[in-house]
């Protein structure tokens, strides 16, 4: 199950939100369970940080799209008045 740790950053960028979130949940579960070496724990931590950034970018993008749609709707309502 080391594939979650060994992926390159370029591959991380291609992950969808749900994939990144699910993998992040698994990383956290493994860290909380313990039983890994210091090196494995550090690799998991670094992978978790990468995955959290991917999730954050997806959520920021979704927020920007939602804000743009709401602004467009508000502008349309003002024009109709």
């Amino acid at each position: 199950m080391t594939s979650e740790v060994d992926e390159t950053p370029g591959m991380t960028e291609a992950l969808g939100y749900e994939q990144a979130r699910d993998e992040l949940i698994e990383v956290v579960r493994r860290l909380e369970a313990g039983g890994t070496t210091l090196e494995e724990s550090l690799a998991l931590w670094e992978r978790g940080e990468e995955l959290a950034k991917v999730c954050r970018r997806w959520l920021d993008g979704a927020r920007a799209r939602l804000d743009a749609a709401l602004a467009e709707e508000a502008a349309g309502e003002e024009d109709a008045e």
Side-chain angles (χ1 to χ4, degrees):
M1 187 176 265
T2 59
S3 64
E4 288 120 356
V5 178
D6 296 337
E7 290 190 36
T8 59
M11 293 178 74
T12 301
E13 300 299 320
L15 288 176
Y17 173 77
E18 288 81 6
Q19 290 172 303
R21 181 203 59 212
D22 291 346
E23 188 177 338
L24 180 57
I25 290 169
E26 178 62 18
V27 166
V28 170
R29 186 196 64 72
R30 289 179 63 193
L31 285 169
E32 288 178 340
T36 56
T37 65
L38 177 59
E39 186 175 321
E40 290 170 333
S41 294
L42 288 173
L44 284 167
W45 179 270
E46 290 169 348
R47 182 66 180 156
E49 288 291 327
E50 291 174 18
L51 292 164
K53 288 177 187 176
V54 170
C55 290
R56 196 172 308 116
R57 278 192 295 274
W58 274 105
L59 292 173
D60 289 345
R63 170 57 67 189
R65 289 175 60 190
L66 180 58
D67 289 345
L70 291 173
E72 187 177 305
E73 181 181 318
E77 289 175 3
E78 288 177 9
D79 290 342
E81 290 178 1

